[in-house]
């Protein structure tokens, strides 16, 4: 068989071997020879293969048998595998295994939960049993054990740290704990009430050491305090004791006549603190030594007989009582002995020393904290006596200022007029110095209310104290002086708000007050600034307040002027524009309006002239009269048609008004401005009331011929009186009928160049 696999060299089959060139092509004979020889060679190979197979037949038969067995087994395995796959697909074992595992896990979880529930139940049972034990301990008088159990169970039940997802039974247990807590708290408070009592009949504090409440006998006071501390109600339990001590023991020692305290001790049974009024009338509380020694004796009694020298219990009692005790001492003693005069501040040093020693003794007994400065309330108050002195004086000054303003009736002195002889001879100032004051920067005098003059007197006294005081006191006094001045605005303007809405003397007087205060405020800096302590000179300012009061004065005056003008306009409105006065009814209505105007102006004249400064009176009256005359003149000039009789009656109304106002006009003319040249002071009244000249000229025009009116316009007289071209033209058209002469005059008037 090896010969079959040998390589056949084709060239060896050819007849010639002259084939040295492998690339040379074969000839046809060579190819036929090659094919013949290949066929022969192939037959030889087949013969050899056949003979080989025949000779090895047994071996090949055995090989084929083995292959047949292998194929049979492969088919058998394939069949069994198919059966297994069918079995698995019909009954999936992995699902069964998973179900079994899940079932086992669920059972284990249930077992774990049941075990936890069992532990929880055991815990609940134990807590409930302990709560029942607390109740039994309370009934048996084992208060310390019951209090400690309540404290421990509070932690176990997480009181104050509840969770909404907790079992409901926890809420029930907490309610049960709360019942136990309230029961023991109520019992402990009863024991404290029984332990410390005040007997009014004998005026003494009685402390019992062995207590009997609700049939539970033999409980010691110390045990009750320990139980209250354990359960966390020491503050609550001692609150009534603290209130008793402050109300019946401390308060009389601070507030009343001198008293003494007497202690009586019966070891193991009771202690007594007797309160005995002192028979020694010479004992005084001026320096506080007696008060402080009495309070220390009371606190020592509490320290030894109630708190058993236990530091935490004493601190608790101190926290409950010290704020009230210190407030009592400050309000009933220290604040009352604050010096009323700056010269007596040095005498207060002894009280400061006694106060400091008193608080040091309390710190030694741990009644107040040795490290917390807030507990040094008395020392802080005493050491700040200058501030308290200034504060006390400030309260007194402001109260006095407020009373001055509230009690003032703002009445003008009886019989006062600006033209009275007493005014001119300066005797009126001596007769009523609280009303007549000098205006520093106006070189004039005015009448003010008693409240304003006394208020400034009080301010001057306060500023004199500023010059003599230390920096802190001086600064406080300076603020007080400012506040006192500002009280005028805060009190008076509110108190008299309604009166300022009417025309009366009060409004004029308040105007003068504000003007006077503004002048005085400006002068304060010049008068006192140089004497103020150097450290406050930059801060002691008043000038900022002066414009405020000056503006208030002007606002009040303008408010009065507008009220007068409003009333005058209402009166003039009743004349219905002064039309148709040739009819008697309309004439009487117009005359009544003029009478009302005159009445209002005379009323204002009577009110303003005696009170307002002359120039202020003149300026204000000129403003009012200008409003009246201009309105009447305008209404008459707006009449578009006047009968002859109507012009005469209108003229009569104007003359009547001016005649009735002659005294007022004379009063205004008589006012001269000080310091001005005579020619300037002698200026005609028409310069201050332009419409006065116009209304006088209007009265002349009402019965003047047309040519004379035209001549007056051409000469510029009407223009100088304030008439406008259109007013003159309309006036002529209203009085004179249409005619060539009227047309000529109107043309001349229109073509005049002024």
């Amino acid at each position: 068989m090896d010969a079959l696999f040998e390589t056949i060299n084709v060239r060896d089959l050819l007849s010639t071997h002259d084939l040295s060139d492998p690339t040379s092509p074969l000839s046809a004979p060579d190819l036929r020879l090659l094919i013949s020889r290949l066929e022969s060679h192939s037959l030889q190979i087949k013969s050899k293969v056949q003979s080989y197979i025949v000779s090895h037949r047994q071996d090949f038969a055995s090989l084929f048998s083995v292959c047949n067995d292998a194929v049979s087994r492969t088919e058998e395995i394939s069949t069994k595998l198919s059966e297994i796959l069918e079995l698995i697909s019909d009954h999936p074992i992995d699902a069964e295994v998973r179900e079994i595992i899940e079932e086992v896990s669920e059972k284990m979880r249930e077992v774990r939960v049941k075990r936890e529930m069992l532990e929880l139940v055991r815990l609940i049972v134990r807590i409930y049993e302990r709560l029942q034990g607390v109740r039994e301990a309370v009934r048996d008088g084992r208060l310390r054990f019951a209090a400690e159990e309540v404290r421990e169970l509070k932690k176990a039940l997480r009181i104050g740290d509840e969770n909404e997802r907790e079992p409901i039974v926890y809420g029930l247990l907490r309610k049960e704990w709360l019942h136990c807590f309230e029961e023991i708290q109520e019992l402990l408070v009863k024991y404290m009430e029984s332990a410390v009592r005040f007997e009014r009949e004998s005026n003494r504090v009685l402390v019992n050491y062995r207590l009997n409440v609700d049939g539970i006998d033999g409980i010691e006071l110390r045990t009750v305090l320990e139980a209250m501390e354990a359960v966390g109600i020491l503050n609550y339990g001692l609150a009534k004791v603290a209130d008793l001590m402050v109300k019946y023991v401390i308060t009389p020692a601070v507030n009343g006549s001198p008293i003494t305290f007497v202690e009586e001790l019966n070891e193991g049974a009771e202690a007594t603190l007797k309160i005995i009024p002192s028979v020694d009338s010479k004992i005084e509380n001026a320096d506080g030594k007696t008060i402080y020694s009495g309070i220390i004796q009371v606190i020592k009694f509490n320290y030894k007989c109630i708190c058993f020298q236990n530091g935490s219990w004493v601190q608790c009692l101190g926290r409950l009582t010290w704020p009230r005790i210190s407030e009592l001492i400050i309000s009933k003693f220290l604040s009352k002995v604050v010096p009323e005069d700056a010269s007596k501040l040095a005498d207060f040093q002894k009280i400061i020393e006694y106060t400091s020693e008193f608080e040091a003794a309390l710190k030694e007994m741990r009644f107040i904290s040795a490290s917390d400065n807030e507990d040094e309330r008395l020392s802080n108050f005493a050491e700040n006596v200058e501030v308290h002195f200034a504060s006390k004086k400030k309260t007194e000054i402001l109260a006095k200022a407020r009373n001055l303003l509230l009690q003032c009736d703002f009445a003008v002195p009886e019989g006062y007029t600006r033209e009275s002889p007493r005014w001119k001879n300066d005797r009126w100032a001596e007769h009523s110095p609280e009303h007549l004051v000098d205006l520093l920067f106006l070189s004039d005098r005015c009448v003010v209310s008693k409240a304003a003059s006394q208020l400034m007197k009080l301010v001057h006294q306060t500023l004199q104290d500023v010059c003599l005081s230390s920096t802190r006191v001086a600064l406080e006094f300076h603020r007080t002086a400012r506040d006192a001045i500002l009280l005028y605005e805060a009190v008076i303007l509110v108190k008299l708000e309604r009166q300022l809405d009417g025309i009366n003397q009060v409004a004029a007087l308040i105007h003068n007050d504000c003007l006077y205060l503004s002048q005085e405020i400006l002068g304060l800096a010049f008068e006192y600034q140089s004497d103020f302590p150097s450290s406050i000179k930059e801060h002691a300012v008043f000038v900022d307040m002066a414009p405020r009061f000056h503006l208030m004065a002007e606002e009040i005056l303008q408010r009065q002027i507008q009220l007068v003008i409003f009333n005058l306009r209402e009166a003039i409105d009743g004349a219905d524009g002064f039309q148709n006065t040739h009819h008697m009814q309309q004439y009487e209505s117009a005359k009544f309006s003029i009478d009302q105007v005159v009445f209002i102006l005379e009323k204002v004249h009577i009110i303003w002239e005696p009170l307002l400064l002359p120039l202020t009176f003149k300026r204000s009256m000129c403003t009012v009269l200008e409003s009246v005359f201009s309105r009447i003149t305008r209404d008459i000039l707006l009449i578009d048609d006047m009968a002859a009789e109507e012009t005469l009656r209108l003229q009569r109304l104007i003359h009547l008004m001016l005649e009735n106002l002659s005294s007022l006009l004379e009063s205004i003319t008589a006012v001269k401005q000080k310091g001005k040249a005579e020619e300037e002071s002698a200026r005609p009244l028409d310069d201050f009331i332009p419409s006065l000249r116009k209304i006088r000229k209007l009265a002349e025009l009402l019965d003047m011929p047309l040519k004379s009116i035209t001549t007056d316009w051409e000469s510029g007289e009407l223009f100088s009186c304030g008439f406008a071209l259109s007013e003159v033209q309309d006036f002529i058209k209203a009085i004179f009928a249409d005619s060539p002469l009227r047309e000529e005059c109107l043309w001349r008037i229109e073509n005049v160049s002024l």
Side-chain angles (χ1 to χ4, degrees), residues 578 580-582 636 639 641-655 698-704 731 734-736:
F578 297 95
N580 301 318
T581 52
H582 57 291
I636 293 175
I639 300 174
D641 186 15
M642 299 185 202
E645 181 65 21
E646 190 174 0
T647 59
L648 295 176
R649 288 187 174 179
L650 288 172
Q651 185 184 55
R652 191 178 305 126
L653 289 174
I654 295 174
H655 287 159
L698 177 60
E700 295 177 11
L701 294 177
L702 286 169
D703 66 348
M704 186 179 289
F731 180 76
I735 294 180
F736 300 100

Side-chain angles (χ1 to χ4, degrees), residues 612-630:
L612 297 181
L613 293 176
L615 289 178
T616 303
F617 166 71
K618 182 175 182 178
R619 172 168 54 90
S620 303
M621 286 307 308
C622 288
T623 302
V624 171
L625 289 172
E626 173 66 22
S627 172
V628 172
F629 295 153
S630 62

Side-chain angles (χ1 to χ4, degrees), residues 363 368-374:
K363 290 178 182 179
I368 61 175
S369 173
S371 58
D372 190 354
N373 292 332
E374 291 186 3

